[in-house]
């Protein structure tokens, strides 16, 4: 028995105390099944031999009301004249008497303890990697997930957590971002992503020394995976240009990041899937909210940025008429990403439509600031999927499919 405990501890990492408790509980259950109660049952474990002993303990009384819990003084004297009223008599039971029921119950209890302990160990192991990148192997597919083997567990990569246009084969080695680890009755679930904004941030921390050392900080990331990403950065060293550092000489650092993705798009003319790149815009963060929004709306250059007097997280960006489509972006992408990046709701207005009377209800800061059309709420990547169809938003500004929204 002691050898079995040692094997379970070494190979399964199951504590000996937990196994002893499991066996004790199963023996008590078998005792109760045999005698109808377990209040009089005491189980001892011999640390030297590894044996379990089962005792029935009864109180010595004048008058017996329950023979399972009590014994008369007269009967006690038949065992030993030394017994007195109030003493407790321990009578050893034969473990063999419990038969298969006890053995089966013990086995089931131990197996349940093993499953629970193994689940807890696995959960703790992967919980510490939450918010980190991990490398795994593509194992299998179904209609909902790609299952990625991370060593001791298969992580779940859902469709919305995949980069559109990216495909994998079984046994491919891929890198994923662990954004949630759950422990429930059915086991441990690890949810991973390649489309999460934090995936970009973690890649930059790994690939760019200045980011890894904390000289340059990634303040915020807004991403539409496989297409376009905006990254706001700042430097903690006045001699280091944060934007230039992230981009690298000739765009070398950005290429390190985009080389990790392999999206494809369908070429309408040839009907073939062709490789494409995810564009990453790097913008300087500013503590001045107006300047920060102005930077985020790039490549458009607003005329002015105004803040709603009644809503601190709502701003209006006024742009020249000929820059309206550029500020909005294709299907509203540019302003949508700027909104997520800055955590502001931003309305884009053409200069010709924005008059002084309308401006009176807004507060104009000394520096320039920007705002977005989209109703922005904090994104929870465990629950929310991004709606890319903003054709209605474009039409609200008088734009059509023929307008150049890609600028």
């Amino acid at each position: 028995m002691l050898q079995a405990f040692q094997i379970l501890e070494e190979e399964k990492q199951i504590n000996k105390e937990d196994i002893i408790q499991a066996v004790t509980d199963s023996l008590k259950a078998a005792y109760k099944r045999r005698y109808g109660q377990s209040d009089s049952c005491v189980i001892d474990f011999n640390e030297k031999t590894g044996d379990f002993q089962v005792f029935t303990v009864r109180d010595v009384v004048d008058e017996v009301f329950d023979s399972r819990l009590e014994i008369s003084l007269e009967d006690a004297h038949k065992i030993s004249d030394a017994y007195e009223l109030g003493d407790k008599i321990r009578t050893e039971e034969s473990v063999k008497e419990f038969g298969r029921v006890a053995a089966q119950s013990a086995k089931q209890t131990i197996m349940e303890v093993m499953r629970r302990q193994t689940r807890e160990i696995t959960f703790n192991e992967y919980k510490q990697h939450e918010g980190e990148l991990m490398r795994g192997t593509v194992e299998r597919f179904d209609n909902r997930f790609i299952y990625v083997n991370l060593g001791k567990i298969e992580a779940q990569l859902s469709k919305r957590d995949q980069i559109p246009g990216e495909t994998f084969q079984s046994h491919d080695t891929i890198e994923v971002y662990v954004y949630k680890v759950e422990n429930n009755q059915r086991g441990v679930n690890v949810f991973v992503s390649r489309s999460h904004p934090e995936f970009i941030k973690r890649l930059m921390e790994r690939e760019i020394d200045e980011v890894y050392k904390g000289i340059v900080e990634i303040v915020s990331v807004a991403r539409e995976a496989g297409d376009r990403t905006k990254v706001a950065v700042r430097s903690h060293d006045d001699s280091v240009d944060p934007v230039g550092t992230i981009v690298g000489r000739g765009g070398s650092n950005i290429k390190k990041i985009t080389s990790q993705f392999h999206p494809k798009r369908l070429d309408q003319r040839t009907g073939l899937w062709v490789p494409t790149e995810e564009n990453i815009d790097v913008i300087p963060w500013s503590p001045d909210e107006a300047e920060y929004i102005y930077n985020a709306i790039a490549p458009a250059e607003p005329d002015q940025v105004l803040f709603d007097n009644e809503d601190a997280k709502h701003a209006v960006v006024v742009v020249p008429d000929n820059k309206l489509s550029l500020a909005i972006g294709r299907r509203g992408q540019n302003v949508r990403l700027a909104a997520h990046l800055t955590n502001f709701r931003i309305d884009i207005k053409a200069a010709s439509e924005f008059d002084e009377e309308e401006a009176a209800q807004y507060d104009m800061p000394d520096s320039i600031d920007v705002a977005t059309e989209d109703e922005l709420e904090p994104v929870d990547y465990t629950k929310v999927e991004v709606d890319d169809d903003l054709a209605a938003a474009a039409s609200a500004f008088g734009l059509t499919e023929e307008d150049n929204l890609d600028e």
Side-chain angles (χ1 to χ4, degrees), residues 343-406:
N343 199 28
F344 268 83
R345 291 197 329 278
I346 302 175
D347 290 336
I348 302 293
K349 297 285 187 179
S352 62
E353 298 177 356
F354 195 78
D355 54 33
E356 294 182 3
E357 183 178 344
E358 187 176 3
Q361 61 182 307
Y362 296 100
D363 174 44
M364 183 184 296
D366 294 335
S367 58
I368 300 178
D369 211 337
V370 182
T372 51
E373 171 72 17
D374 288 89
E375 185 75 13
L376 177 67
E377 294 181 359
V379 179
D380 179 358
Y381 263 78
T382 67
K383 301 177 181 177
V384 180
E385 296 187 20
V386 177
D387 182 2
D388 291 332
D389 186 12
L390 291 185
S395 64
F397 294 99
L399 303 177
T400 66
E401 292 293 334
E402 287 72 28
D403 288 311
N404 183 10
L405 298 182
D406 290 315

Side-chain angles (χ1 to χ4, degrees), residues 138-337:
V138 175
E139 290 287 319
R140 56 194 178 92
F141 309 82
D142 64 21
N143 293 331
R144 298 182 302 159
F145 301 107
I146 294 176
Y147 294 91
V148 182
N149 190 328
L150 296 181
K152 294 182 179 179
I153 199 168
E154 281 187 341
Q156 300 171 7
L157 179 65
S158 68
K159 291 187 180 297
R160 70 178 181 83
D161 287 312
Q162 299 169 31
I163 297 175
E166 205 172 41
T167 58
F168 300 106
Q169 303 296 324
S170 292
H171 308 303
D172 282 352
T173 299
I174 65 172
E175 209 154 29
V176 293
Y177 172 74
V178 181
Y179 68 87
K180 185 170 67 171
V181 181
E182 286 183 344
N183 187 9
N184 53 51
Q185 293 298 321
R186 291 178 293 181
V188 178
N189 292 323
V190 179
F191 298 94
V192 297
S193 176
R194 285 178 60 81
S195 65
H196 201 292
E198 289 292 313
F199 187 53
I200 296 278
K201 184 176 182 179
R202 294 291 176 258
L203 285 175
M204 288 183 171
E205 290 172 347
R206 188 184 69 190
E207 300 292 342
I208 305 173
D209 286 343
E210 290 83 355
V211 178
Y212 176 77
K213 294 175 181 177
I215 299 172
V216 174
E217 178 187 353
I218 310 295
V219 179
S220 180
V221 180
R223 186 184 185 201
E224 294 193 358
D227 192 357
R228 190 177 179 189
T229 294
K230 283 181 181 281
V231 180
V233 298
R234 67 172 171 177
S235 175
H236 295 288
D237 184 337
D238 293 339
S239 64
V240 176
D241 172 24
V243 175
T245 299
I246 297 296
V247 173
R249 186 183 298 274
S252 58
N253 286 341
I254 290 295
K255 288 177 182 177
K256 286 182 186 178
I257 306 304
T258 56
S259 66
Q260 308 291 326
F261 319 134
H262 312 285
K264 298 177 182 178
R265 63 176 176 81
L266 182 63
D267 190 319
Q268 299 296 336
R269 289 177 295 181
T270 64
L272 300 175
W273 288 90
V274 296
T276 185
E277 283 193 358
E278 182 171 329
N279 297 316
I280 299 180
D281 301 335
V282 184
I283 66 118
W285 176 85
S286 173
D288 185 312
E289 292 177 334
E291 183 179 349
Y292 185 28
I293 297 175
Y294 180 89
N295 294 338
I297 212 72
E301 296 182 0
D303 287 339
Q304 55 185 328
V305 177
L306 307 103
F307 292 97
D308 194 327
N309 293 323
E310 298 180 355
D311 186 349
K313 281 299 182 180
H314 177 222
V316 171
V317 178
V318 182
V319 299
D321 289 20
N322 63 346
K323 297 295 183 180
L324 181 61
S325 63
L326 186 63
I328 296 172
R330 176 170 53 90
R331 295 182 179 175
Q333 184 185 71
N334 189 61
V335 72
R336 183 166 63 250
L337 288 175

Side-chain angles (χ1 to χ4, degrees), residues 5 56 127 134 219 315 395:
F5 290 169
T56 295
K127 186 68 176 179
M134 293 192 73
V219 179
S395 64

